[in-house]
Every structure is written in structure tokens, then in C-alpha cells.
Amino acid sequence: MSLPDEKVTPVIEEYLECIYRLEEKYGVAKTKDIVIMMKVAPGTVTNTVRFLKKKGLVMHQPYRGVKLTDKGRRLAIQVVRRHRLSECLLADILHIDWEKVHELACDLEHSLTEEIIKHLEKVLNHPKRCPHGNPIPTKCGGIFEEESVPLTELAVGAQGVVAKIVDEHRDVLQYLGRLGVFPGTSIKILEKNLIDDSITLMIEDTRHVLSRRIASVVYVKQPR
């Protein structure tokens, strides 16, 4: 994959992946959210988005946000694929703690060629999800997304199983890990506090209280 007269650099890949993740969550990538995720100055984001638009990788409407073009999405999905397979390598083969693998995979993903990915998938037994439960795109860009909803959308008394964690920052994963919240964990909503917007739930056999911010990044599958 290449841009006209320009190599797809790690920086370009990082921006495309960032925009893709924000689109997944919000439907559009706002400049302020890109600034926060990329940890760079607003001016840097503005200049990079302008460059990506010039290369036909994104569409940008002032005050409305940034969206990937079809070309940009194809590139972004392949970066996400390499990233999530890198996470599996780090967690399943190298046994690195799940809260650390996201950050480490951000560096590793850029050095993996398609040939390496092919062998890596075989060694990993063709995983469908990363350690945090997020789907791994296929080589052709297909994504199998299980039906799930954030904890914040469940009613009191509802039960389910954790499907994925959509915020992979180390502090969030470390906190959820201490509570025992992993993909496959059983939960039940016990109470919703309208005063502080917190949610009380049963995680396996233990009672815990989550803030709305944390609960919103935990997605759950419900029994049919």
C-alpha cells in the first residue's frame, strides 16, 4: 500500500488508526479528540489532517470533524489488524500483562510485514479478537463484530458477559483488571445511582461500583 510519491509512514498510520477508533466510538473524529489521543498540539493535528485530506485519506468539514475516505479506511483497518495481532503476540506468546500490550503494540505494528503477519496468525491459531475483546480484521478487511452494548445502556437487573473493552489505556485496563473485568466475565446490574451517575454491579460473585465513564467503555453481550 502506498501513497502517490509518498511512503505511508508510521505517523500517518497512527493518525489513520486514531481516526478509525474515534469513528468507531463517536461516528466522527473531532479535532480535540485526535489531540487527546495522539498527545500532540492542536496545530500539529490541523496540519496533519490537512495533509491526509490532500492525499485523499480523509474528509474534513470544519466544526463537524474528520472521517476516513474508503482509501483511508482500507489503510486504517490494516493498521488495526497488525496492532491487534501484535497485542495477541505480546499477551499470548510473550505473556505480557494485558494492560501493557496496547502501548507496546503501537510500536510493533509498524514493523510487521504481510509475510510476518501470515506466519504470526498461524502461530496464534488465527485469533478473532485481541486480548481486550476487540475484533481483529481479516486480511481482506472484513470485521466480525458481535452484538454488544455498553454497561451504561443496561437496565437494573440485566445480566450479561463482558465482550470487549474499547478504551485500551493502561490505567483503565489496570483498574478493570483489578476488579476482574475481562472478556468473558459475567456481570449483573444491581443499581444505577442518579445522583452521581455511578453503576453498582455484581462482577462474578463480588459487588463493585463503577463510574459512568468507566462503565461506558465496557461492552457486554446479553443472553438471547
Side-chain angles (χ1 to χ4, degrees):
M1 297 178 186
S2 60
L3 297 175
D5 304 316
E6 191 100 28
K7 180 184 177 183
V8 182
T9 65
V11 172
I12 292 173
E13 290 186 338
E14 287 288 342
Y15 270 89
L16 294 176
E17 182 181 10
C18 171
I19 294 166
Y20 175 85
R21 288 173 181 269
L22 289 171
E23 275 197 69
E24 268 191 316
K25 191 171 183 181
Y26 303 115
V28 67
K30 298 284 189 180
T31 301
K32 64 180 178 60
D33 292 327
I34 299 174
V35 167
I36 293 170
M37 280 191 71
M38 295 297 296
K39 298 179 181 178
V40 295
T44 302
V45 170
T46 299
N47 291 336
T48 305
V49 167
R50 189 179 296 125
F51 172 81
L52 295 176
K53 183 178 180 181
K54 181 180 177 182
K55 295 299 181 182
L57 298 174
V58 302
M59 299 172 286
H60 180 219
Q61 290 183 298
Y63 309 108
R64 291 193 177 183
V66 181
K67 286 192 172 187
L68 296 167
T69 62
D70 289 342
K71 178 181 177 182
R73 183 171 299 278
R74 285 195 299 271
L75 284 168
I77 286 174
Q78 290 309 308
V79 179
V80 170
R81 169 175 155 80
R82 297 199 306 269
H83 179 93
R84 291 176 179 168
L85 284 169
S86 296
E87 289 182 327
C88 290
L89 167 65
L90 294 166
D92 299 346
I93 304 297
L94 302 182
H95 306 295
I96 293 173
D97 294 340
W98 85 317
E99 71 266 18
K100 298 177 182 178
V101 297
H102 171 70
E103 292 176 12
L104 295 172
C106 287
D107 295 323
L108 183 59
E109 68 192 35
H110 304 297
S111 60
L112 297 180
T113 64
E114 192 54 47
E115 183 178 1
I116 293 174
I117 286 293
K118 179 181 177 181
H119 291 286
L120 179 58
E121 276 191 302
K122 185 176 180 180
V123 169
L124 292 168
N125 197 25
H126 302 277
K128 298 292 186 291
R129 306 194 164 274
C130 78
H132 314 116
N134 296 295
I136 298 173
T138 66
K139 180 180 179 181
C140 299
I143 299 176
F144 174 70
E145 188 70 80
E146 289 183 299
E147 185 176 343
S148 61
V149 295
L151 276 177
T152 48
E153 292 187 15
L154 297 185
V156 173
Q159 301 183 56
V161 174
V162 175
K164 62 182 179 179
I165 313 295
V166 297
D167 184 336
E168 297 176 307
H169 285 94
R170 182 180 295 205
D171 55 346
V172 172
L173 294 172
Q174 202 166 38
Y175 175 69
L176 290 173
R178 286 200 301 269
L179 299 183
V181 179
F182 302 98
T185 299
S186 298
I187 62 94
K188 180 179 181 179
I189 305 297
L190 300 178
E191 180 185 349
K192 286 189 168 184
N193 191 321
L194 299 178
I195 296 176
D196 63 10
D197 227 11
S198 64
I199 297 176
T200 303
L201 62 157
M202 191 69 75
I203 301 172
E204 296 294 355
D205 298 320
T206 308
R207 185 185 180 102
H208 290 286
V209 178
L210 294 184
S211 68
R212 183 176 182 83
R213 185 182 82 81
I214 296 298
S216 70
V217 306
V218 180
Y219 279 61
V220 176
K221 295 181 291 186
Q222 291 184 273
R224 295 187 179 277

